[in-house]
Amino acid sequence: MNTLPLFFNLNNKTVLIVGGGDVAHRKAVLMAKAQARMVVIAKNFDEDFINFLNQIGATYHQKSYEPSDLDTYQPAIVIGATDDHAVNVALHGDCQARGISVNIVDTPELCDFIFPAIVDRDPVVIGVSSNGKAPVLARLIRAKIESSLPSSIGKLAAKAGEFRAKVKDALPTITERRYFWESVFERALADRQIGPLDDELHSFIDQGKQGGEVYIVGAGAGDPDLLTFKALRLMQQADVVLYDALVSPEILELCRRDSQKIFVGKKRADHAKTQEQINELIVQYAKAGHRVLRLKGGDPFVFGRGGEEMLACQAAGVPYQVVSGITAALAAGSCAGIPLTHRGVATSVRFLTGCYQTNDAFDGLKSAYQPDETLVFYMGLHALPKIVDSLVASGLPSDLPIAIVSNASLPTQAVLTGTLSDIVAKQQADGVSAPAIIIVGKVVELYQPQKPI
Ligand code: SAH
């Protein structure tokens, strides 16, 4: 981080602007918004600018800048916006000598601070900066944020400020107050109707919203961009996060910063916690009044044992919701460029596992293989030879294409292709690593070994 974003209270502080053109005018408008006391010095002023300065009653002097101006006005900050480079450089040097922070517009090397692109929903203010590297990008990001924020959010924030003391009296614990404000602001951010805050507070108290709940959430295959909006929302409001080995650090990073994060990962033969212990933990935390996020790789209900966690919540009478995620088979197909169904090639898909509870190995297709279907194996890499033997024994042609997609959707994604007759040797020689999805069927012929953009 090259610069630290700070929000500077300029109310009643002096800002000196040197320059009388368009650029200086724009900065003066900004300074007026921030209620700064402004002094503007320029040899020549644009007429519009003079009109503006007269209108707001700011001080200005038509004269050349001199270093003594800094001593006369003792500004908190200085903005240099002349088109005379020598003046800008001198102004910068004079400020440095006096320890005054200065910004020479559009000259990053002469700036102690920079102006971000601003979203102004007073009292909510958002600044976006690329540290002068890509101002256009910063502006586009600002536009994106601008369009995703309901226009009423500033007014609501102002009202919330006035209402804080009342909430504090009505809800004695910090946790209760946080739940209340989250429930109000989340609905506001989703453009939903918010009643008068008094009514909101009463209905919150009536509902006894303090009880805990459980979110069983699919985090997708690994790429944070594949999270659902709903997953992200719940991740940002959970108090306790119980997460799996398959949840990437980048995704975990998006959970509420001060949430308690507990690793309950299960890797083959190395279970940090048994499923029963996980079920118990979920229920226990929820009953203690927490919002518990059970964050799982892929989709919770596809080889994820999310069903068992749901049943545990039901048995304990704990409220819960399940949020689907992009399961590994789908991510592997799309990220590797292998369609799982394809007109004229495959009309159905079967999701299988290479790891059964009973014997920890693939125990064969339960029903006959159809030549126009795609088989997708989860947890199959360790059992690849057994899977291949079993498929061939079931009558699948040994030249049937097969692909292993490892770390689908992640920067480390790798794909190994072959046929049922040579894939085991290829994997042994120059294999890919777990986690991996195995795709068997003619659709694999559509694979092009180039990196998607
Ligand atoms: N519920 C998860 C599956 C959990 S089982 C889901 O819906 O995706 C774990 C298996 O998922 C792994 O053994 C592997 O086969 C597969 N898997 C998970 N993430 C993967 C990834 N990024 N790339 C390839 N396979 C993955």
Side-chain angles (χ1 to χ4, degrees):
M1 192 159 50
N2 255 338
T3 51
L4 180 71
L6 297 169
F7 291 84
F8 198 167
N9 183 353
L10 284 175
N11 195 349
N12 271 330
K13 292 196 181 68
T14 301
V15 174
L16 176 68
I17 300 179
V18 180
D22 231 19
V23 180
H25 187 168
R26 277 203 299 275
K27 291 294 183 240
V29 170
L30 195 58
M31 291 304 117
K33 265 194 176 171
Q35 297 166 50
R37 196 186 305 124
M38 221 183 315
V39 179
V40 188
I41 292 174
K43 264 201 296 201
N44 300 301
F45 281 94
D46 284 356
E47 204 182 313
D48 280 357
F49 192 11
I50 291 274
N51 291 340
F52 170 73
L53 291 170
N54 283 329
Q55 210 179 344
I56 63 167
T59 309
Y60 59 93
H61 302 284
Q62 189 150 7
K63 69 178 207 69
S64 297
Y65 156 76
E66 288 159 300
S68 62
D69 293 329
L70 297 175
D71 307 319
T72 310
Y73 298 109
Q74 308 230 332
I77 58 171
V78 171
I79 301 167
T82 74
D83 49 13
D84 183 334
H85 187 63
V87 172
N88 287 340
V89 171
L91 176 60
H92 175 259
D94 298 340
C95 288
Q96 296 275 289
R98 288 163 178 78
I100 302 172
S101 296
V102 59
N103 172 290
I104 303 296
V105 178
D106 283 340
T107 320
E109 65 279 14
L110 298 182
C111 286
D112 295 317
F113 61 91
I114 49 180
F115 289 97
I118 295 171
V119 179
D120 183 5
R121 296 278 209 282
D122 188 53
V124 176
V125 180
I126 301 167
V128 182
S129 158
S130 66
N131 273 306
K133 302 281 187 274
V136 174
L137 175 64
R139 281 204 294 277
L140 290 176
I141 294 173
R142 186 229 358 231
K144 238 186 162 159
I145 296 173
E146 190 93 59
S147 62
S148 68
L149 275 188
S151 52
S152 58
I153 214 72
K155 260 194 224 144
L156 181 61
K159 275 196 218 147
E162 292 158 18
F163 201 68
R164 273 177 72 121
K166 243 186 185 171
V167 175
K168 204 166 177 188
D169 288 343
L171 304 173
T173 71
I174 294 182
T175 312
E176 282 174 308
R177 294 200 286 277
R178 197 178 68 221
Y179 284 6
F180 169 70
W181 286 121
E182 279 175 2
S183 84
V184 169
F185 290 135
E186 262 159 26
R187 278 179 294 135
L189 285 172
D191 255 333
R192 279 158 47 201
Q193 194 66 36
I194 305 295
L197 287 176
D198 261 320
D199 296 354
E200 291 287 342
L201 183 59
H202 287 134
S203 71
F204 179 83
I205 292 167
D206 292 346
Q207 278 167 23
K209 189 84 171 85
Q210 295 88 321
E213 53 192 4
V214 173
Y215 318 130
I216 303 171
V217 174
D223 177 358
D225 279 352
L226 294 182
L227 282 168
T228 61
F229 289 130
K230 195 165 188 178
L232 190 61
R233 225 169 32 240
L234 296 175
M235 284 160 69
Q236 289 176 350
Q237 69 182 48
D239 307 307
V240 180
V241 181
L242 302 166
Y243 67 99
D244 278 351
L246 281 173
V247 174
S248 64
E250 292 78 13
I251 287 182
L252 208 56
E253 183 75 7
L254 297 171
C255 290
R256 210 179 85 213
R257 205 161 280 274
D258 60 345
S259 58
Q260 186 185 349
K261 300 182 186 72
I262 304 169
F263 175 67
V264 292
K266 287 179 278 161
K267 279 194 181 154
R268 247 175 43 79
D270 173 23
H271 288 206
K273 294 249 184 302
T274 64
Q275 186 60 49
E276 290 65 33
Q277 286 171 324
I278 296 173
N279 297 348
E280 263 169 42
L281 270 183
I282 294 174
V283 167
Q284 208 176 306
Y285 276 110
K287 284 202 155 163
H290 298 293
R291 288 166 302 180
V292 183
L293 175 73
R294 175 65 181 110
L295 194 58
K296 306 169 76 70
D299 183 273
F301 281 4
V302 179
F303 300 125
R305 305 190 71 175
E308 290 159 64
E309 291 161 0
M310 176 184 74
L311 293 176
C313 292
Q314 284 174 2
V318 166
Y320 67 89
Q321 53 176 308
V322 183
V323 179
S324 44
I326 294 186
T327 189
L330 303 187
S334 52
C335 297
I338 303 173
L340 300 186
T341 67
H342 194 70
R343 188 169 276 255
V345 181
T347 58
S348 64
V349 193
R350 219 193 288 195
F351 290 176
L352 305 114
T353 170
C355 170
Y356 278 95
Q357 265 176 337
T358 44
N359 60 3
D360 198 28
F362 181 59
D363 55 4
L365 292 178
K366 304 276 187 293
S367 58
Y369 172 73
Q370 305 297 318
D372 62 350
E373 77 173 317
T374 305
L375 304 179
V376 182
F377 289 89
Y378 287 72
M379 296 174 275
L381 198 58
H382 69 287
L384 184 69
K386 275 197 185 167
I387 292 174
V388 169
D389 284 352
S390 161
L391 294 181
V392 173
S394 308
L396 274 70
S398 59
D399 62 352
L400 196 62
I402 176 167
I404 307 175
V405 184
S406 139
N407 288 304
S409 84
L410 293 163
T412 46
Q413 176 175 307
V415 183
L416 183 71
T417 55
T419 61
L420 288 183
S421 60
D422 65 13
I423 194 72
V424 172
K426 280 186 168 178
Q427 169 62 14
Q428 274 161 5
D430 193 14
V432 294
S433 54
I437 282 287
I438 301 168
I439 305 176
V440 181
K442 293 219 183 72
V443 285
V444 172
E445 279 164 6
L446 294 159
Y447 172 67
Q448 292 288 331
Q450 90 239 355
K451 271 213 153 207
I453 326 151

